[in-house]
Amino acid sequence: MLRTRVVAVDPLKPDEGLLEEAAKVIRSGGLVVFPTETVYGLGANAYSREAVIKIFKAKNRPMDNPLIVHICGLEELEMLASKLPDEAYEIAEKLWPGPVTLVVWRSEQVLKEVTAGLPKVAIRMPSHPIASSLIRLSGVPIAAPSANLAGRPSPTTAHHAIQDLYGRVDLIIDGGETLFGVESTIIDLTVKPPRLLRPGPIPVEDLERVLGFRIDVPDYARGLSEAKRAYSPGVKYRHYAPETPMKLVESDSYDDLAAYASKLIEIAEECSCRGLKVVIVASRETTRYYSARGFQVLELGSRKNLYEVARNLFKTLRELDEVSPDLALCEGFEEKGLGLTIMNRLRKACKHDIIRV
Ligand code: TXA
Ligand code: MG
C-alpha cells in the first residue's frame, strides 16, 4: 500500500509549483494520476521499465495490453516513431494537441513493455493544460492508460480515480471533471487506408472531412466484434463494465421514441414481474415514459447533444453500481457522429448482451 497524496490543481491556472512536484514524482519513477481532456490517466516515465511495469501492477492490467505514450512536442513523436507517414503530420498539424491517438511503427527508443512487444506504438499529445504542463515539466514522455482498475469504467473525475487507485499510486492530481468523458480516438496509420481502432470524442465523419482522407471503420471499432490482437490488443479485454448486469436495447431507428420506449418498458416490466429490480439508463427525451411506470432512471443526457451523453456515460455506469439493481436496461443511440463512440462503449459495457427491438 502506497501513501497516496491528492492535490487539487486549477485546470485554468495550473499551479506550476504543484505540477513541478508531480513532475518530480514522474522523474523518480513514481505513478501520477492526472486529468486529460478525455479521461484521467495513470502516468509514469515512458523511458523507465520499472515505472512502466508499476502501471500494470497498479491497474491489475494484463502485460499484453499496450499503453499510449503522451507527448508535448513533435520532436518526441519523431523520436518514438520510425517511418512516419504523411497522415501523421497531417493529424499532428490539424488535431494536436487534442483527443486523437496515432498508432505508428515504433522506434528503438520505445520500451517493449510499453507496446506489449508489438512493433507499433500509440502516441498522443493531450490538450489539457495540466497534462501538457506535467509532460513538459517531467522532461520525458509519459506512458498512461486510463486511471481505473482494469475492466472498470474510465475515470472522468479525480474521485473515480481515488475509488480505484488510492493506495496504489503516489499522487493524484484533482483537476475537476474532464471535458469529453470518453477516451481518445485511436487511428492506426501503419495500414492503408488508416484504420479506426477506437472511436473517440471527434466523430469519424469530421475527422475525414478535416483530414481529407478516408478512415476504415472495422466492426470492432463499432464494439460489435473482437479485433485480432495484432490490430488492437485492448479490444479483447472486458471493458468499461459496471458490476451491475446490463442489457443494451438497440433499435434500427430511434425516430419514434415513444414507440421505442414502450418496447423497452415491456421488457422492463417482464423482468420486474420475475422479481428483478430494474433500473433504466436513458436519454432525457424518454426519461418521463419510464418514470411514469415507476422505474428508476439514470439519465445520460439529450439525444440532441451527444457530447453531453458521452460526457456523462462513464460517470453514469459508476452511479449504476452505487444503486446496484439486479439488472440495468440501457437505451441505444443512432450510430452516427458521436453515436458511434457511445455505442462502442455501451456494447462493451453490456458485454455484448444486446436485445434488438
Ligand atoms: O484518452 C485516452 O486515450 C486515455 C488518456 C489517459 O490519454 N488513455 C486511454 O488509455 O484510454 P487505455 O490504456 O485505457 O486505452 C488505450 C488503448 C488500449 O485499448 C490499447 O490496447 C490500445 O489503446 N493500444 C495501445 N497501444 C497500442 C498499439 N501499439 N497498437 C494498437 N492498440 C494500442
Ligand atoms: Mg482504459
Side-chain angles (χ1 to χ4, degrees):
M1 177 99 176
L2 285 173
R3 272 234 333 266
T4 303
R5 254 184 86 201
V6 181
V7 296
V9 174
D10 180 349
L12 297 178
K13 261 202 328 220
D15 180 324
E16 288 259 331
L18 285 174
L19 289 184
E20 179 48 49
E21 283 180 43
K24 216 179 271 168
V25 175
I26 295 283
R27 281 197 300 272
S28 60
L31 298 181
V32 176
V33 169
F34 62 98
T36 80
E37 69 277 23
T38 57
V39 299
Y40 274 73
L42 164 56
N45 178 356
Y47 288 148
S48 160
R49 177 167 286 121
E50 267 166 55
V52 166
I53 290 173
K54 279 189 198 167
I55 293 179
F56 290 92
K57 293 215 171 107
K59 271 192 71 130
N60 289 335
R61 183 180 177 109
M63 290 285 295
D64 66 352
N65 192 1
L67 307 175
I68 296 175
V69 182
H70 296 67
I71 60 172
C72 65
L74 274 190
E75 324 76 66
E76 290 168 296
L77 172 67
E78 289 174 339
M79 195 121 105
L80 297 164
S82 66
K83 290 184 284 185
L84 276 175
D86 292 344
E87 288 94 342
Y89 288 100
E90 192 82 8
I91 290 176
E93 186 191 324
K94 292 186 172 150
L95 301 166
W96 277 4
V100 177
T101 297
L102 305 182
V103 170
V104 289
W105 298 111
R106 69 168 177 80
S107 76
E108 294 299 312
Q109 301 284 320
V110 183
L111 291 170
K112 71 171 193 314
E113 284 75 9
V114 168
T115 67
L118 291 174
K120 307 174 183 187
V121 59
I123 303 176
R124 112 171 169 89
M125 190 190 290
S127 63
H128 194 292
I130 292 178
S132 56
S133 299
L134 178 64
I135 302 164
R136 181 172 45 80
L137 293 170
S138 301
V140 289
I142 296 182
S146 49
N148 50 281
L149 286 173
R152 297 259 295 148
S154 296
T156 57
T157 65
H159 175 66
H160 298 156
I162 291 169
Q163 282 178 331
D164 282 17
L165 297 175
Y166 194 86
R168 295 169 167 260
V169 299
D170 298 287
L171 181 66
I172 296 176
I173 301 175
D174 183 349
E177 193 168 345
T178 60
L179 179 64
F180 292 117
V182 287
E183 310 89 338
S184 62
T185 305
I186 307 181
I187 305 174
D188 186 348
L189 295 181
T190 66
V191 292
K192 286 231 173 320
R195 181 183 291 143
L196 185 73
L197 299 184
R198 179 175 73 185
I202 306 179
V204 190
E205 298 90 329
D206 293 355
L207 289 172
E208 289 184 321
R209 203 172 40 241
V210 170
L211 296 169
F213 54 79
R214 195 169 80 73
I215 298 169
D216 180 44
V217 180
D219 273 355
Y220 58 80
R222 300 170 58 207
L224 283 175
S225 66
E226 309 299 306
K228 289 203 190 82
R229 171 177 151 72
Y231 298 156
S232 192
V235 179
K236 70 177 171 176
Y237 291 108
R238 197 187 124 200
H239 265 304
Y240 322 117
E243 303 285 328
T244 306
M246 184 164 99
K247 289 179 191 289
L248 181 60
V249 183
E250 289 195 30
S251 174
D252 288 333
S253 159
Y254 301 93
D255 290 342
D256 185 350
L257 284 174
Y260 172 65
S262 68
K263 287 181 196 155
L264 201 150
I265 287 169
E266 243 177 70
I267 301 166
E269 287 184 336
E270 194 198 306
C271 296
S272 295
C273 285
R274 285 192 277 126
L276 299 178
K277 178 177 160 42
V278 180
V279 163
I280 298 174
V281 181
S283 61
R284 181 161 313 133
E285 284 78 3
T286 42
T287 296
R288 63 199 157 96
Y289 297 118
Y290 309 124
S291 309
R293 297 296 188 108
F295 289 105
Q296 183 176 353
V297 184
L298 297 181
E299 194 182 288
L300 287 168
S302 169
R303 286 176 186 272
K304 299 194 188 88
N305 180 5
L306 293 183
Y307 280 96
E308 183 188 18
V309 174
R311 188 177 174 158
N312 287 331
L313 199 142
F314 288 132
K315 184 168 61 178
T316 306
L317 294 182
R318 281 179 186 257
E319 273 164 25
L320 184 59
D321 281 342
E322 275 158 35
V323 180
S324 190
D326 300 309
L327 176 70
L329 291 176
C330 181
E331 287 190 345
F333 292 80
E334 194 187 350
E335 229 178 286
K336 248 181 28 202
L338 259 195
L340 176 72
T341 306
I342 293 164
M343 290 307 280
N344 166 292
R345 305 304 190 270
L346 288 178
R347 284 170 179 150
K348 290 176 180 184
C350 76
K351 298 180 209 146
H352 306 280
D353 192 346
I354 295 165
I355 305 174
R356 292 206 73 88
V357 297

Short mmCIF file of all heavy atoms in Angstrom, two decimals, residues 87 91 101-103 120 185-199 204 213-221 227-228 230-232:
data_model
loop_
_atom_site.label_atom_id
_atom_site.label_comp_id
_atom_site.label_asym_id
_atom_site.label_seq_id
_atom_site.Cartn_x
_atom_site.Cartn_y
_atom_site.Cartn_z
N GLU A 87 0.22 11.10 -43.18
CA GLU A 87 -1.01 11.27 -42.39
C GLU A 87 -0.70 11.64 -40.94
O GLU A 87 -1.48 12.33 -40.29
CB GLU A 87 -1.86 9.99 -42.39
CG GLU A 87 -2.54 9.68 -43.71
CD GLU A 87 -1.70 8.74 -44.58
OE1 GLU A 87 -0.49 8.61 -44.32
OE2 GLU A 87 -2.29 8.14 -45.51
N ILE A 91 -2.33 14.86 -39.13
CA ILE A 91 -3.09 14.79 -37.89
C ILE A 91 -2.45 15.67 -36.82
O ILE A 91 -3.12 16.43 -36.12
CB ILE A 91 -3.23 13.33 -37.40
CG1 ILE A 91 -4.15 12.56 -38.35
CG2 ILE A 91 -3.75 13.26 -35.96
CD1 ILE A 91 -4.29 11.08 -38.06
N THR A 101 -5.27 9.73 -30.92
CA THR A 101 -4.06 8.93 -30.73
C THR A 101 -3.67 8.27 -32.04
O THR A 101 -4.52 7.73 -32.74
CB THR A 101 -4.32 7.84 -29.66
OG1 THR A 101 -4.63 8.48 -28.42
CG2 THR A 101 -3.11 6.94 -29.46
N LEU A 102 -2.38 8.31 -32.36
CA LEU A 102 -1.87 7.67 -33.57
C LEU A 102 -1.20 6.36 -33.21
O LEU A 102 -0.47 6.29 -32.22
CB LEU A 102 -0.77 8.53 -34.20
CG LEU A 102 -1.11 9.96 -34.53
CD1 LEU A 102 0.08 10.61 -35.19
CD2 LEU A 102 -2.32 9.97 -35.44
N VAL A 103 -1.39 5.35 -34.05
CA VAL A 103 -0.58 4.14 -33.93
C VAL A 103 0.38 4.12 -35.12
O VAL A 103 -0.07 4.19 -36.28
CB VAL A 103 -1.46 2.88 -33.88
CG1 VAL A 103 -0.61 1.61 -34.00
CG2 VAL A 103 -2.25 2.84 -32.57
N LYS A 120 4.44 -1.66 -33.04
CA LYS A 120 3.77 -0.36 -33.20
C LYS A 120 3.61 0.31 -31.85
O LYS A 120 3.47 -0.37 -30.83
CB LYS A 120 2.38 -0.55 -33.80
CG LYS A 120 2.35 -1.36 -35.07
CD LYS A 120 0.91 -1.62 -35.48
CE LYS A 120 0.86 -2.50 -36.74
NZ LYS A 120 -0.53 -2.60 -37.24
N THR A 185 -9.78 9.05 -29.66
CA THR A 185 -9.89 8.30 -30.92
C THR A 185 -8.53 7.67 -31.19
O THR A 185 -7.51 8.34 -31.06
CB THR A 185 -10.18 9.30 -32.07
OG1 THR A 185 -11.34 10.05 -31.75
CG2 THR A 185 -10.36 8.56 -33.40
N ILE A 186 -8.51 6.39 -31.57
CA ILE A 186 -7.23 5.77 -31.95
C ILE A 186 -7.26 5.40 -33.42
O ILE A 186 -8.17 4.70 -33.88
CB ILE A 186 -6.91 4.51 -31.11
CG1 ILE A 186 -7.00 4.82 -29.61
CG2 ILE A 186 -5.54 3.96 -31.46
CD1 ILE A 186 -6.68 3.64 -28.71
N ILE A 187 -6.27 5.90 -34.17
CA ILE A 187 -6.18 5.62 -35.61
C ILE A 187 -4.86 4.92 -35.91
O ILE A 187 -3.79 5.43 -35.56
CB ILE A 187 -6.27 6.92 -36.43
CG1 ILE A 187 -7.52 7.71 -36.07
CG2 ILE A 187 -6.27 6.60 -37.93
CD1 ILE A 187 -7.61 9.07 -36.74
N ASP A 188 -4.95 3.76 -36.54
CA ASP A 188 -3.75 3.01 -36.93
C ASP A 188 -3.27 3.50 -38.29
O ASP A 188 -3.97 3.33 -39.30
CB ASP A 188 -4.09 1.51 -36.99
CG ASP A 188 -2.86 0.65 -37.24
OD1 ASP A 188 -1.80 1.20 -37.59
OD2 ASP A 188 -2.97 -0.58 -37.08
N LEU A 189 -2.11 4.13 -38.31
CA LEU A 189 -1.57 4.69 -39.55
C LEU A 189 -0.57 3.76 -40.22
O LEU A 189 0.07 4.13 -41.20
CB LEU A 189 -0.90 6.04 -39.28
CG LEU A 189 -1.82 7.16 -38.81
CD1 LEU A 189 -1.02 8.44 -38.59
CD2 LEU A 189 -2.95 7.41 -39.81
N THR A 190 -0.43 2.54 -39.70
CA THR A 190 0.52 1.61 -40.32
C THR A 190 -0.17 0.81 -41.43
O THR A 190 0.46 0.00 -42.09
CB THR A 190 1.10 0.61 -39.29
OG1 THR A 190 0.04 -0.24 -38.83
CG2 THR A 190 1.75 1.33 -38.13
N VAL A 191 -1.49 1.01 -41.59
CA VAL A 191 -2.21 0.31 -42.67
C VAL A 191 -2.83 1.35 -43.61
O VAL A 191 -2.99 2.51 -43.24
CB VAL A 191 -3.32 -0.60 -42.09
CG1 VAL A 191 -2.72 -1.77 -41.34
CG2 VAL A 191 -4.26 0.19 -41.19
N LYS A 192 -3.18 0.91 -44.79
CA LYS A 192 -3.81 1.80 -45.76
C LYS A 192 -5.13 1.21 -46.21
O LYS A 192 -5.15 0.04 -46.60
CB LYS A 192 -2.89 2.01 -46.97
CG LYS A 192 -1.70 2.91 -46.69
CD LYS A 192 -1.63 4.00 -47.74
CE LYS A 192 -0.63 5.05 -47.53
NZ LYS A 192 -0.14 5.77 -46.56
N PRO A 193 -6.24 1.94 -46.17
CA PRO A 193 -6.36 3.26 -45.58
C PRO A 193 -6.20 3.18 -44.06
O PRO A 193 -6.36 2.10 -43.49
CB PRO A 193 -7.79 3.67 -45.97
CG PRO A 193 -8.54 2.39 -46.11
CD PRO A 193 -7.54 1.41 -46.64
N PRO A 194 -5.92 4.31 -43.42
CA PRO A 194 -5.81 4.32 -41.96
C PRO A 194 -7.06 3.69 -41.34
O PRO A 194 -8.16 3.84 -41.86
CB PRO A 194 -5.73 5.81 -41.63
CG PRO A 194 -5.13 6.43 -42.85
CD PRO A 194 -5.66 5.64 -44.01
N ARG A 195 -6.86 3.00 -40.24
CA ARG A 195 -7.96 2.23 -39.64
C ARG A 195 -8.30 2.77 -38.25
O ARG A 195 -7.41 3.00 -37.43
CB ARG A 195 -7.53 0.77 -39.55
CG ARG A 195 -8.59 -0.16 -38.97
CD ARG A 195 -8.06 -1.58 -38.84
NE ARG A 195 -7.86 -2.21 -40.13
CZ ARG A 195 -6.85 -3.04 -40.41
NH1 ARG A 195 -5.93 -3.31 -39.49
NH2 ARG A 195 -6.74 -3.58 -41.60
N LEU A 196 -9.59 2.93 -38.03
CA LEU A 196 -10.06 3.36 -36.71
C LEU A 196 -10.00 2.17 -35.76
O LEU A 196 -10.65 1.16 -35.99
CB LEU A 196 -11.50 3.87 -36.82
CG LEU A 196 -12.10 4.45 -35.56
CD1 LEU A 196 -11.50 5.83 -35.26
CD2 LEU A 196 -13.62 4.57 -35.68
N LEU A 197 -9.21 2.28 -34.68
CA LEU A 197 -9.17 1.19 -33.70
C LEU A 197 -10.16 1.44 -32.57
O LEU A 197 -10.69 0.51 -31.98
CB LEU A 197 -7.76 1.04 -33.12
CG LEU A 197 -6.64 0.70 -34.11
CD1 LEU A 197 -5.33 0.49 -33.37
CD2 LEU A 197 -6.99 -0.53 -34.93
N ARG A 198 -10.36 2.73 -32.27
CA ARG A 198 -11.32 3.08 -31.20
C ARG A 198 -11.91 4.44 -31.52
O ARG A 198 -11.16 5.40 -31.69
CB ARG A 198 -10.59 3.13 -29.85
CG ARG A 198 -11.49 3.50 -28.69
CD ARG A 198 -10.76 3.43 -27.33
NE ARG A 198 -9.83 4.52 -27.15
CZ ARG A 198 -9.00 4.64 -26.10
NH1 ARG A 198 -8.99 3.72 -25.16
NH2 ARG A 198 -8.19 5.68 -26.00
N PRO A 199 -13.25 4.55 -31.63
CA PRO A 199 -13.85 5.87 -31.85
C PRO A 199 -13.75 6.70 -30.57
O PRO A 199 -13.80 6.15 -29.47
CB PRO A 199 -15.30 5.55 -32.21
CG PRO A 199 -15.58 4.21 -31.61
CD PRO A 199 -14.27 3.48 -31.49
N VAL A 204 -15.91 10.40 -36.60
CA VAL A 204 -15.08 9.97 -37.74
C VAL A 204 -15.40 10.81 -38.98
O VAL A 204 -14.51 11.17 -39.74
CB VAL A 204 -15.36 8.50 -38.10
CG1 VAL A 204 -14.35 8.00 -39.11
CG2 VAL A 204 -15.30 7.64 -36.87
N PHE A 213 -8.72 12.40 -45.86
CA PHE A 213 -8.54 11.02 -46.29
C PHE A 213 -9.56 10.11 -45.59
O PHE A 213 -10.13 10.48 -44.56
CB PHE A 213 -7.10 10.51 -46.08
CG PHE A 213 -6.56 10.65 -44.68
CD1 PHE A 213 -6.90 9.76 -43.67
CD2 PHE A 213 -5.66 11.68 -44.38
CE1 PHE A 213 -6.37 9.88 -42.40
CE2 PHE A 213 -5.13 11.82 -43.10
CZ PHE A 213 -5.48 10.92 -42.11
N ARG A 214 -9.80 8.96 -46.22
CA ARG A 214 -10.80 8.04 -45.70
C ARG A 214 -10.23 7.26 -44.51
O ARG A 214 -9.03 6.96 -44.48
CB ARG A 214 -11.20 7.05 -46.80
CG ARG A 214 -12.46 6.28 -46.52
CD ARG A 214 -12.90 5.55 -47.79
NE ARG A 214 -12.14 4.31 -48.00
CZ ARG A 214 -12.29 3.20 -47.28
NH1 ARG A 214 -13.16 3.16 -46.28
NH2 ARG A 214 -11.59 2.12 -47.56
N ILE A 215 -11.07 6.97 -43.54
CA ILE A 215 -10.66 6.14 -42.39
C ILE A 215 -11.55 4.91 -42.37
O ILE A 215 -12.78 5.02 -42.38
CB ILE A 215 -10.78 6.93 -41.07
CG1 ILE A 215 -9.86 8.16 -41.10
CG2 ILE A 215 -10.46 6.05 -39.87
CD1 ILE A 215 -10.09 9.14 -39.97
N ASP A 216 -10.92 3.74 -42.37
CA ASP A 216 -11.66 2.49 -42.38
C ASP A 216 -12.24 2.23 -40.98
O ASP A 216 -11.52 2.34 -39.98
CB ASP A 216 -10.69 1.37 -42.80
CG ASP A 216 -11.37 0.03 -42.83
OD1 ASP A 216 -12.50 -0.03 -43.35
OD2 ASP A 216 -10.78 -0.94 -42.33
N VAL A 217 -13.53 1.89 -40.91
CA VAL A 217 -14.17 1.61 -39.61
C VAL A 217 -14.53 0.12 -39.54
O VAL A 217 -15.56 -0.29 -40.06
CB VAL A 217 -15.43 2.48 -39.41
CG1 VAL A 217 -16.08 2.17 -38.06
CG2 VAL A 217 -15.08 3.96 -39.51
N PRO A 218 -13.68 -0.70 -38.93
CA PRO A 218 -13.99 -2.13 -38.83
C PRO A 218 -15.08 -2.38 -37.79
O PRO A 218 -15.37 -1.50 -36.96
CB PRO A 218 -12.66 -2.73 -38.38
CG PRO A 218 -11.97 -1.63 -37.66
CD PRO A 218 -12.43 -0.35 -38.27
N ASP A 219 -15.68 -3.56 -37.82
CA ASP A 219 -16.75 -3.89 -36.87
C ASP A 219 -16.32 -3.74 -35.42
O ASP A 219 -17.11 -3.33 -34.57
CB ASP A 219 -17.22 -5.34 -37.10
CG ASP A 219 -18.30 -5.39 -38.17
OD1 ASP A 219 -18.73 -4.32 -38.63
OD2 ASP A 219 -18.70 -6.52 -38.54
N TYR A 220 -15.06 -4.06 -35.12
CA TYR A 220 -14.69 -3.98 -33.69
C TYR A 220 -14.63 -2.55 -33.20
O TYR A 220 -14.79 -2.30 -32.01
CB TYR A 220 -13.41 -4.76 -33.38
CG TYR A 220 -12.18 -4.34 -34.14
CD1 TYR A 220 -11.44 -3.22 -33.75
CD2 TYR A 220 -11.74 -5.07 -35.23
CE1 TYR A 220 -10.31 -2.85 -34.44
CE2 TYR A 220 -10.61 -4.69 -35.94
CZ TYR A 220 -9.90 -3.58 -35.54
OH TYR A 220 -8.78 -3.20 -36.23
N ALA A 221 -14.43 -1.57 -34.11
CA ALA A 221 -14.47 -0.17 -33.68
C ALA A 221 -15.90 0.25 -33.34
O ALA A 221 -16.13 1.21 -32.62
CB ALA A 221 -13.90 0.74 -34.76
N ALA A 227 -11.27 -7.66 -32.05
CA ALA A 227 -10.22 -7.47 -33.04
C ALA A 227 -9.16 -8.55 -32.87
O ALA A 227 -9.04 -9.14 -31.82
CB ALA A 227 -9.57 -6.11 -32.84
N LYS A 228 -8.43 -8.78 -33.95
CA LYS A 228 -7.27 -9.64 -33.80
C LYS A 228 -6.26 -8.90 -32.94
O LYS A 228 -6.12 -7.68 -33.05
CB LYS A 228 -6.64 -9.91 -35.17
CG LYS A 228 -7.48 -10.80 -36.07
CD LYS A 228 -6.56 -11.45 -37.10
CE LYS A 228 -7.35 -12.15 -38.17
NZ LYS A 228 -7.82 -11.24 -39.22
N ALA A 230 -3.22 -8.42 -33.09
CA ALA A 230 -2.23 -7.62 -33.79
C ALA A 230 -2.77 -6.22 -34.13
O ALA A 230 -2.01 -5.29 -34.29
CB ALA A 230 -1.80 -8.33 -35.06
N TYR A 231 -4.08 -6.08 -34.26
CA TYR A 231 -4.65 -4.78 -34.60
C TYR A 231 -4.79 -3.90 -33.37
O TYR A 231 -4.28 -2.82 -33.27
CB TYR A 231 -6.02 -4.93 -35.25
CG TYR A 231 -6.00 -5.69 -36.55
CD1 TYR A 231 -7.14 -6.34 -36.99
CD2 TYR A 231 -4.85 -5.76 -37.32
CE1 TYR A 231 -7.13 -7.04 -38.18
CE2 TYR A 231 -4.84 -6.46 -38.50
CZ TYR A 231 -5.98 -7.11 -38.93
OH TYR A 231 -5.97 -7.80 -40.08
N SER A 232 -5.58 -4.38 -32.43
CA SER A 232 -5.84 -3.57 -31.24
C SER A 232 -5.97 -4.48 -30.04
O SER A 232 -7.04 -4.98 -29.74
CB SER A 232 -7.11 -2.75 -31.43
OG SER A 232 -7.18 -1.80 -30.40
#
